[in-house]
Structure formats: structure tokens, C-alpha cells
Amino acid sequence: MVFSKKLARGIVAGLAALSVTAGISPAAEFEVSDKMAVAQAASSEKNRKSDRLEQDQAVLSCLVESEYQMAGLAVTGNGRIFVSFPHWGANPTDFSLGEVKDGIIYPLLQEVNFASLRRLNYVMTAAGPRLFALDEGRADADFDEGKAPRIFAIDISGETPAVERVYPIAEASLAAGSLLSDIRVDRLTNKAFISDTGVAAILVLDLATGESYRALEKAPELRKNIQMIYFPSGVYNKLTDVCALELSEKNSLLFFSAMGGDVINSVPVKVLLDKNLSADARRKSIKPETLYGAPCTGMVRRDTWLIMGDLPDLGIWEFDFQDEVNKGSLFDIGIDVKWADSFAVDGVNDLYFTESQYNLEFDNRDSYKLYKITWDKRIQRG
């Protein structure tokens, strides 16, 4: 039986309320929802309207199209745009990192041996603007081959980016089946947080020492609770565990969600950094922020909002984590988005996102697009 997304969320919310009354643990909530929640693409235009975007005077524009899939996205405060390209699929590109200028993607660092760049994170550090690029590599690769998972710190203070440091991810931090997916860098603590969607874990990387460890693992909150998504093109059942990450405004919390999940959780950063705690002990500090998220592969914070891909509804989902009444709503941007993937915001809070088309066979895909949403700055959001 296939449930619609909204019906599935209603069921999960009801179960959550009953579980609190009955004293059932959060883990039990996830186990129940995992058995029954299946997402279905919405077909009604009426159900996908959002007054909020119309009120905000949002304008959508396509900044660039590419024959190559853009997996990662980073936008600086002054609007420089960087995209990363993985080396998978039927049509891999011959470069891994590019900068978008005036509708053209300019390859960067072609001399660097990237195995397969996945995600980008832009951070303004004390030393200046930096990109942190997640090179997913292969967990089973020989560490001498240069294909093991790594993080690249890239200095973008000048016109020509330069690799400042490379952080190999320690073998002890990985496991059979590891697949690193997303990265967030906390400039306050000089730590990076990395999602391992392959084995449902969150890693911590110390950018000062290069040491890494598995901070969370084997927790139900890291697991998917949706088994498949029904798209107009067919059923997609390759959903994975914890994927999207984002930090709160003051970097006190790390938000996370599974690709195959509609639950957004948070965990205190100080808990992740406490090496005296075990992974099981850290798990006790995980808090469900909402049962009304959306299956997604990326998210970004915009003021008090988390914005992420809404894969089943071919759109974007927004959730105000400081509003106890709001349960989230669908962004209606006027088009069907073919898998909104990576997200970023610039210094004036304009929103950028990539369209990855993961659910479509390669022969059925169009050109890959990078979009930007701008708002009338005279109208304040919220």
C-alpha cells in the first residue's frame, strides 16, 4: 500500500503523540514509522501552493545549465558561486570543481587529484574565506592511492583558489559500506561534521589536528523511516540513512535528516565534541525537531528556517525550528524541481540550489540546473 506524504506524516505524528502518552521511546517511534511510511509524489497543483513565497515576492532564475551533474554547492557572502562534480554515472566530467560566473562554469584546480567531490561548505575563517570540499573517495581504497575519503580546505581569498590542506579521514572512522555524504564546518570550534549515509553515522573531524572519530552511530534517529518514493517516473527505492546536515545560528546544534526520512533531528555540538562520551551516551541528547520534514539530500539554514529538498513533491520544504506552531510547508516556486539537492544562501539571504535528477534514468535526464531565488528586500520574511 502506498501512502501519500501528507497522510504518512499525519500517521507518524499521531503515533508520536500516542507514544508520548504510553511512554514509548523515540526509537520505537522510528521503528513504527519505518514499517509504514512511504512517500508519494503530489499530483495536485492546489496542494502545492504556498502563499508565503507569493507574499515574499520571490523570483526564481536559472543561473547555469550543465550536461554534468552538480553534486555540491557553496556561495560566499558576496555571491561567488562554486559547484562540485562527482565522477559517477554515464557522463562524468573531466573536472571536479568549478566557479559559476555570468552563466558559465569555469573549471578550477584541475591539477588536483580529486577522487569524487560530493559536497562543499563555505566558511569565513579567521584566515579568510575557505571552501571545505568533501571528497567521498572509497572507504575500501588504499590510503596510498589518493582515493580514500578526504576533506580539502581550499583558500578562495584570491581569484585563483589554492588547496591549503588535505585531511584524510582515518580508517578507524570508517566502516565497510561507508559513504560520506555531507559536511558542515564549525568555525567557532574548528571542527567539521560529516554524515556517513552508508552506515548511518556522523563523524567529527578536528581541523587543527586532522584527527577524526565516529561521534554517532547505530542510532535509530540516523536511519531512514521511508522505504520508497513514488515519482511520476516510477518508484525510487534507493533511499539512504542520515545525509543532510546543517548548523544552528550560533553553531550550538547540528541538525540532521536522512534522505529516506521526514524527521528532522538535532544534537548539541558540545555533546558531539565530548570525547568522554560514548556514541550511545551522545544519542541520549538527540532531539526530534519535527516529524514534518521531507525526504532530502541537502538542507540550509536561512534565518530561523531550515530549507531542504522536498523530493516527493518535486519541490522545496521549509521548516521554522523556532516556531512551536508551524509544522513546515511546501515552497511553491512555480516549477517541478527534479530532485532539489544542494543548497546555499548568500550574504543577502538569497537562496541557491542544484537540481540533480537522481530518480531519473540517465537517458531520461535533461541538463542539470543551478537555480537562485531572490526576494524583494523591502519585504521582511516571516
Side-chain angles (χ1 to χ4, degrees):
M1 183 175 182
V2 177
F3 292 89
S4 72
K5 180 188 68 176
K6 295 178 177 61
L7 176 58
R9 286 185 181 147
I11 292 173
V12 174
L15 289 170
L18 288 173
S19 67
V20 172
T21 303
I24 302 176
S25 68
E29 296 174 19
F30 277 76
E31 292 167 0
V32 172
S33 62
D34 181 68
K35 294 177 181 178
M36 63 192 323
V38 179
Q40 182 177 11
S43 58
S44 168
E45 188 68 23
K46 179 180 179 181
N47 289 338
R48 297 200 292 108
K49 288 294 184 183
S50 170
D51 292 333
R52 183 169 290 109
L53 268 184
E54 296 171 0
Q55 176 182 339
D56 286 349
Q57 303 296 307
V59 177
L60 175 72
S61 59
C62 178
L63 297 183
V64 71
E65 296 186 37
S66 173
E67 62 179 308
Y68 306 116
Q69 187 182 60
M70 294 171 277
L73 170 67
V75 181
T76 67
N78 61 2
R80 291 182 70 185
I81 304 168
F82 298 90
V83 287
S84 60
F85 297 86
H87 294 166
W88 57 55
N91 185 31
T93 180
D94 59 358
F95 61 97
S96 298
L97 182 66
E99 182 170 3
V100 179
K101 297 180 181 179
D102 300 322
I104 299 174
I105 300 173
Y106 294 90
L108 301 173
L109 298 176
Q110 289 182 280
E111 72 281 4
V112 178
N113 181 25
F114 296 114
S116 191
L117 284 190
R118 185 68 172 253
R119 286 288 194 256
L120 301 176
N121 190 196
Y122 159 69
V123 180
M124 176 59 78
T125 68
R130 296 293 185 271
L131 285 184
F132 289 87
L134 170 59
D135 191 352
E136 69 173 20
R138 300 197 325 271
D140 61 346
D142 187 325
F143 273 65
D144 294 330
E145 293 180 356
K147 295 182 180 179
R150 299 169 293 175
I151 305 298
F152 286 80
I154 303 172
D155 181 355
I156 56 171
S157 59
E159 291 188 7
T160 303
V163 174
E164 185 175 61
R165 183 171 175 179
V166 181
Y167 298 90
I169 302 300
E171 292 182 78
S173 300
L174 304 171
S178 281
L179 180 63
L180 305 187
S181 180
D182 202 0
I183 179 174
R184 284 296 180 270
V185 172
D186 178 6
R187 63 179 179 83
L188 300 180
T189 62
N190 205 27
K191 303 293 192 298
F193 306 100
I194 306 163
S195 58
D196 187 340
T197 191
V199 294
I202 293 178
L203 282 58
V204 173
L205 170 66
D206 188 322
L207 296 173
T209 66
E211 298 176 351
S212 61
Y213 60 92
R214 301 167 71 81
L216 286 174
E217 59 182 338
K218 300 178 181 179
E221 294 87 348
L222 300 170
R223 301 285 186 182
K224 63 184 178 182
N225 68 316
I226 290 174
Q227 298 301 325
M228 65 186 70
I229 299 174
Y230 182 79
F231 292 96
S233 58
V235 172
Y236 185 85
N237 59 7
K238 299 178 182 178
L239 301 176
T240 60
D241 296 319
V242 60
C243 184
L245 303 177
E246 181 59 301
L247 288 162
S248 62
E249 182 178 10
K250 296 183 179 180
N251 294 11
S252 60
L253 296 174
L254 180 71
F255 298 102
F256 61 90
S257 181
M259 181 208 290
D262 58 4
V263 180
I264 303 172
N265 290 287
S266 68
V267 61
V269 165
K270 65 180 181 181
V271 171
L272 295 175
L273 300 184
D274 189 342
K275 290 187 176 181
N276 293 320
L277 297 176
S278 65
D280 286 340
R282 295 187 189 103
R283 187 215 156 192
K284 295 178 181 178
S285 296
I286 294 176
K287 172 187 174 184
E289 293 289 338
T290 180
L291 301 176
Y292 293 85
C296 68
T297 48
M299 64 172 66
V300 71
R301 179 179 57 80
R302 184 176 184 269
D303 296 327
T304 65
W305 296 77
L306 283 179
I307 299 178
M308 64 206 74
D310 185 344
L311 304 182
D313 283 314
L314 308 178
I316 296 174
W317 190 261
E318 61 177 0
F319 167 67
D320 187 349
F321 51 83
Q322 292 189 5
D323 187 340
E324 296 180 358
V325 177
N326 174 65
K327 298 300 181 182
S329 60
L330 185 71
F331 257 52
D332 178 20
I333 58 175
I335 64 170
D336 286 337
V337 183
K338 300 171 184 176
W339 199 293
D341 193 2
S342 294
F343 291 81
V345 294
D346 61 19
V348 293
N349 258 357
D350 287 338
L351 177 69
Y352 303 72
F353 65 94
T354 59
E355 184 184 61
S356 291
Q357 307 182 62
Y358 280 110
N359 59 301
L360 299 174
E361 297 294 335
F362 284 102
D363 291 343
N364 296 327
R365 295 183 183 183
D366 300 322
S367 59
Y368 300 98
K369 298 179 178 64
L370 168 63
Y371 289 102
K372 178 181 181 180
I373 301 178
T374 58
W375 278 267
D376 187 332
K377 302 307 184 293
R378 296 169 299 177
I379 301 177
Q380 295 299 314
R381 181 172 178 74

